[in-house]
């Protein structure tokens, strides 16, 4: 982490887990575990039906609430879709776009990810843009080319001011929910490369300002090592974010100098 230029962000991704009736207990358990003086941002990205109850449950905890996806449309006959305006009206501050599960199961393209990120920016919501390679792509030694293509696609048509309002989450697909984690060296190498891509596309200021998170089985045991890397500015946390004790350990690790 480089706290001189970027605030660390620990974002939990609950995926399709948890119930509204469980959110208060989660927040009550998390509250005493959070550090008193916190230099990092904590976020919970939750399923749409849980947003209201989580906002209520974490009130006063300095925990922001995020969504897990957004529509490319503003409004209209798009059954099942949720707009950026709706999310902003609820009080959502962050939203994940381009998660590998959305790309794999719903066929999302880089162009759609870009369109979603722009909609979020229009409504003052920070996009957490996910990029990452499959195991096959890593074994073919095309990780950097693939990730570069995703970053460029996600930022197509944006200026530096827009990019500085975004977050990138590098998640090697082969490490998501598998228990496998990229080594700190592997994760740092790709996150540093992503920053270099942004520097070439825009400028040094934009590259310095852009938070790059690591996702892919970051947990209470490996968080400190990963967060000690200079270009890893936090984590997009899956399973560990459903456990207040584990999630708080990661948040605490992001507060260490």
């Amino acid at each position: 982490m480089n706290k001189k230029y970027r605030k660390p962000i620990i974002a939990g991704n609950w995926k399709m887990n948890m119930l509204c009736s469980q959110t208060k207990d989660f927040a009550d358990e998390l509250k005493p575990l959070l550090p008193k003086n916190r230099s990092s941002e904590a976020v919970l990205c939750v399923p749409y039906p849980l947003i209201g109850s989580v906002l209520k449950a974490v009130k006063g905890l300095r925990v922001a609430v995020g969504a897990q996806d957004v529509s490319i449309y503003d409004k209209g006959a798009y059954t099942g879709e949720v707009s950026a305006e709706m999310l902003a009206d609820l009080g959502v501050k962050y939203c994940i776009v381009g998660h590998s599960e959305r790309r794999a199961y719903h066929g999302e393209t880089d162009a759609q990810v870009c369109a979603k990120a722009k909609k979020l920016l229009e409504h003052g919501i920070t996009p957490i843009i996910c990029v990452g390679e499959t195991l096959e792509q890593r074994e073919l030694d095309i990780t950097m080319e693939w990730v570069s293509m995703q970053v460029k696609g996600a930022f197509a048509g944006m200026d530096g001011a827009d990019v500085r309002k975004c977050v990138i989450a590098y998640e090697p697909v082969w490490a998501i929910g598998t228990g496998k984690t990229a080594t700190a060296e592997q994760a740092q190498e790709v996150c540093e490369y992503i920053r270099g891509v942004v520097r070439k596309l825009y400028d040094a200021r934009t590259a310095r300002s852009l938070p790059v998170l690591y996702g892919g089985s970051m947990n209470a045991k490996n968080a400190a090592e990963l967060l000690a890397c200079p270009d890893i500015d936090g984590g997009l946390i899956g399973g560990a974010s459903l456990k207040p004790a584990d999630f708080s350990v990661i948040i605490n690790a992001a507060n260490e100098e």
Side-chain angles (χ1 to χ4, degrees):
M1 296 179 291
N2 188 330
K3 294 184 180 180
K4 180 179 178 181
Y5 297 112
R6 304 175 293 275
K7 177 186 281 191
I9 299 170
I10 302 300
N13 177 14
W14 281 4
K15 304 192 178 185
M16 197 171 70
N17 293 293
M18 203 72 78
L19 301 173
C20 287
S21 57
Q22 297 172 313
T23 56
K24 184 179 184 301
D25 288 343
F26 176 93
D28 288 345
E29 188 177 340
L30 179 65
K31 183 177 180 178
L33 303 175
L34 292 174
K36 295 275 191 294
N37 299 309
R38 192 168 357 132
S39 58
S40 63
E41 174 93 314
V43 186
L44 288 172
C45 295
V46 305
Y48 295 134
L50 274 60
I51 290 172
S53 63
V54 174
L55 280 164
K56 182 178 179 181
V58 302
K59 189 174 182 179
L61 299 190
R62 287 181 58 214
V63 174
V65 177
Q68 298 174 359
D69 190 33
V70 69
S71 178
I72 62 174
Y73 303 107
D74 290 320
K75 60 179 63 178
Y78 302 103
T79 301
E81 295 283 279
V82 175
S83 73
E85 184 179 21
M86 291 174 180
L87 295 178
D89 188 56
L90 283 171
V92 166
K93 300 299 183 186
Y94 290 83
C95 183
I96 298 169
V97 291
H99 193 279
S100 63
E101 291 159 2
R102 298 290 311 177
R103 294 177 188 261
Y105 307 152
H106 301 274
E108 286 194 4
T109 64
D110 290 330
Q112 288 173 310
V113 172
C114 179
K116 290 181 177 188
K118 288 176 178 176
K119 286 297 178 189
L120 293 168
L121 291 172
E122 286 175 16
H123 293 278
I125 298 173
T126 300
I128 300 176
I129 301 167
C130 298
V131 300
E133 82 284 9
T134 63
L135 182 58
E136 181 183 14
Q137 289 160 344
R138 176 161 280 274
E139 290 176 342
L140 289 171
D141 199 26
I142 60 170
T143 293
M144 300 308 188
E145 291 87 344
W146 185 259
V147 169
S148 175
M149 180 180 68
Q150 289 182 316
V151 170
K152 290 175 181 178
F155 288 153
M158 290 192 198
D159 60 21
D162 285 335
V163 173
R164 290 192 290 274
K165 297 173 185 174
C166 295
V167 174
I168 288 284
Y170 166 58
E171 292 197 306
V173 179
W174 48 271
I176 299 173
T178 62
K180 296 179 180 179
T181 310
T183 65
E185 291 77 15
Q186 288 173 320
Q188 163 61 21
E189 181 184 29
V190 180
C191 290
E192 182 181 21
Y193 181 82
I194 289 169
R195 204 174 303 286
V197 170
V198 175
R199 187 180 298 111
K200 288 179 182 178
L201 285 174
Y202 297 96
D203 50 46
R205 177 192 172 198
T206 301
R208 282 196 307 265
S209 302
L210 179 70
V212 181
L213 315 184
Y214 173 75
S217 299
M218 181 185 278
N219 55 51
K221 293 182 179 179
N222 60 30
E225 182 184 11
L226 288 162
L227 294 171
C229 297
D231 288 290
I232 297 178
D233 305 309
L236 183 57
I237 317 300
S241 70
L242 293 162
K243 303 171 184 176
D246 288 357
F247 193 46
S248 67
V249 169
I250 301 170
I251 294 169
N252 277 284
N255 280 335
E256 294 179 4
E257 296 299 330

